[in-house]
Amino acid sequence: MDFKTLMSGTILNTSASPLTTADGISIAKYLEGEHKIAWTEALLELDDVTEKESLLYDLAVTYHVVGRSRKALAILKDLHQTGTRRVASMLNIVRQKAEKSEDKEPHEKPTSTVAEMDHTYRKLCRENIQSKNNLHCYNKVTRIPYYTGKEEVLSYVPRISRFHDVISDMEIMQVKYACKAHLSPANVIGRFGKVMPNYKTRTGETAWIEPSEKIAKKLENRVELLTGLDTFYREEMQTTEHFELVNYGLGGHYLNHYDSLDLNKIKTINRDYALGDRFATWMFYMSDVEAGGATVFPKLNLRILPVKGSAVFWYNLLPSGVRDERSMHGSCPVLLGSKWITTKWILEIGQEFRQPCKRNPLDEHF
């Protein structure tokens, strides 16, 4: 999405109210690096911009920060001669750096795997159509003859499926009623196992559904039928975690992450290790989203749009018990609307006879 498209109010082929120049200036304040440079330069071309001096100063500072000090120096010299803002101190700082280094434009450096995945995540989030897959849909038979699931296969290897019409509007209301009042800022598990908010990584609100709630038992039964796994929460033998309700409002997102906790590396998390890792993930979509909010798997180049009433299911661990690196995924920013999901993490313990382990690390679940 380019500057003109966004300013016109068109977001991922969805029309909204056009942005004003003041809106564009407000957005510029929150951008960083090359994104801020591109956005600010486009703003300065508009005829009705009244804060040009301030924008030019911010542009110069950003050029300096990203290592393009000679560009910054040229802007600051003009401001010093023609503007009213005091820039002498900043001018001296930039001049010293510009004179020590050659005037180099940014050049491509070898990117790390993390940077590559971040780039793919952003690219998938900016697409305006759903990924096209030459796969198929079918009615999945369960152990109850009269109950089948509408399964849409999104990826064969590894297997990722969407199940349609698996939660009704009434059940969605019951889930929200059960814990909406307890929503609080979402946390993430840090590098050393510390659980805390991280608004750059994840922006949203969460709440846990008490397993004693009737709606929790009802949905657990449904997930068990469709996955064949033990998905019931019991105090004496916990094979799953509680259902987690999550709301992503405007701008809400969750950058690339794994649901599996990689317990061998995290030793300080407040958790019973005997339960094992997060074996698989079941995620109900409880709302449509006007624009944005897709779930993306960068290593699979897969993009899944929220469809109210459906659910997505995938494995986080290989049959050998090792983390499946392909399970890295992220939640794209919500651009218009609000995104509601409910997630159930299914644990390793209790699945031994439902989904036996395999010795070969290359084996798949299907």
Side-chain angles (χ1 to χ4, degrees):
M1 294 179 288
D2 59 21
F3 175 81
K4 290 183 179 179
T5 302
L6 283 173
M7 290 296 288
S8 70
T10 302
I11 302 174
L12 297 180
N13 286 347
T14 302
S15 296
S17 301
L19 298 178
T20 65
T21 302
D23 292 332
I25 292 172
S26 296
I27 290 172
K29 293 177 182 177
Y30 292 95
L31 296 176
E32 298 176 353
E34 296 295 336
H35 296 295
K36 187 181 185 78
I37 289 172
W39 187 269
T40 305
E41 287 179 339
L43 269 176
L44 288 166
E45 293 179 4
L46 299 178
D47 296 330
D48 58 342
V49 174
T50 57
E51 301 180 30
K52 283 192 175 182
E53 194 171 315
S54 179
L55 286 171
L56 283 168
Y57 181 80
D58 288 345
L59 180 61
V61 171
T62 308
Y63 269 130
H64 176 64
V65 169
V66 301
R68 300 165 71 178
S69 296
R70 293 206 171 181
K71 281 265 191 182
L73 183 61
I75 295 172
L76 290 172
K77 282 182 176 179
D78 287 340
L79 285 176
H80 187 59
Q81 293 176 359
T82 62
T84 58
R85 185 175 187 135
R86 295 181 179 180
V87 297
S89 58
M90 189 63 189
L91 183 61
N92 290 332
I93 294 171
V94 172
R95 180 182 285 115
Q96 290 175 12
K97 186 174 180 181
E99 290 175 349
K100 289 180 180 179
S101 60
E102 298 177 11
D103 189 11
K104 295 180 180 178
E105 289 296 314
H107 57 281
E108 292 188 8
K109 299 178 181 178
T111 54
S112 66
T113 302
V114 173
E116 289 173 356
M117 289 303 99
D118 182 65
H119 174 74
T120 305
Y121 161 81
R122 294 172 188 275
K123 182 181 178 183
L124 286 169
C125 288
R126 289 180 180 133
E127 296 291 332
N128 55 17
I129 57 172
Q130 191 170 7
S131 302
K132 294 182 179 179
N133 302 297
N134 296 319
L135 302 175
H136 72 273
C137 302
Y138 65 97
N139 282 331
K140 181 172 183 176
V141 178
T142 68
R143 60 180 173 79
I144 298 180
Y146 60 81
Y147 184 75
T148 59
K150 302 174 184 177
E151 182 176 5
E152 176 188 2
V153 181
L154 304 174
S155 169
Y156 275 123
V157 182
R159 186 65 165 260
I160 300 177
S161 295
R162 186 204 295 270
F163 290 87
H164 291 271
D165 302 324
V166 287
I167 185 169
S168 67
D169 288 349
M170 178 60 70
E171 289 167 336
I172 289 171
M173 289 177 60
Q174 290 171 351
V175 169
K176 289 183 178 180
Y177 180 79
C179 60
K180 192 174 179 181
H182 305 293
L183 285 169
S184 59
N187 292 321
V188 297
I189 298 174
R191 187 175 178 183
F192 300 105
K194 189 174 182 180
V195 179
M196 56 187 173
N198 185 331
Y199 299 112
K200 270 197 170 182
T201 301
R202 188 184 192 190
T203 305
E205 292 185 309
T206 65
W208 298 93
I209 305 174
E210 287 297 323
S212 58
E213 294 281 349
K214 289 184 179 179
I215 185 61
K217 295 296 182 186
K218 188 175 182 180
L219 295 179
E220 283 177 340
N221 183 61
R222 193 167 303 158
V223 176
E224 189 266 346
L225 286 172
L226 293 170
T227 64
L229 300 175
D230 187 342
T231 62
F232 290 95
Y233 181 90
R234 313 175 192 85
E235 288 294 340
E236 65 276 11
M237 183 179 177
Q238 298 172 18
T239 58
T240 70
E241 297 183 24
H242 298 185
F243 276 111
E244 183 189 39
L245 174 69
V246 185
N247 174 230
Y248 293 107
L250 188 63
H253 68 281
Y254 196 170
L255 299 182
N256 289 332
H257 64 282
Y258 296 98
D259 283 354
S260 57
L261 302 175
D262 205 3
L263 297 177
N264 291 328
K265 295 181 180 178
I266 299 178
K267 298 299 182 184
T268 58
I269 184 173
N270 181 21
R271 180 185 177 85
D272 185 351
Y273 290 89
L275 301 177
D277 208 338
R278 290 171 172 173
F279 181 62
T281 297
W282 177 280
M283 184 170 68
F284 285 109
Y285 288 117
M286 304 202 305
S287 68
D288 297 311
V289 180
E290 293 179 62
T295 304
V296 297
F297 289 78
K299 293 186 177 182
L300 303 175
N301 201 37
L302 178 64
R303 180 172 181 263
I304 306 170
L305 295 177
V307 175
K308 186 179 182 181
S310 71
V312 179
F313 174 72
W314 69 88
Y315 289 93
N316 300 305
L317 306 181
L318 294 168
S320 60
V322 176
R323 171 188 276 178
D324 189 341
E325 297 295 329
R326 300 166 300 182
S327 68
M328 174 188 281
H329 60 285
S331 179
C332 297
V334 174
L335 304 178
L336 289 174
S338 182
K339 177 181 176 182
W340 290 88
I341 61 172
T342 296
T343 304
K344 165 71 79 171
W345 286 297
I346 304 166
L347 305 178
E348 290 179 273
I349 301 305
Q351 315 305 334
E352 296 86 352
F353 301 105
R354 303 290 187 106
Q355 194 79 307
C357 292
K358 300 175 183 178
R359 291 187 177 183
N360 190 336
L362 300 179
D363 282 340
E364 299 285 341
H365 287 285
F366 290 86

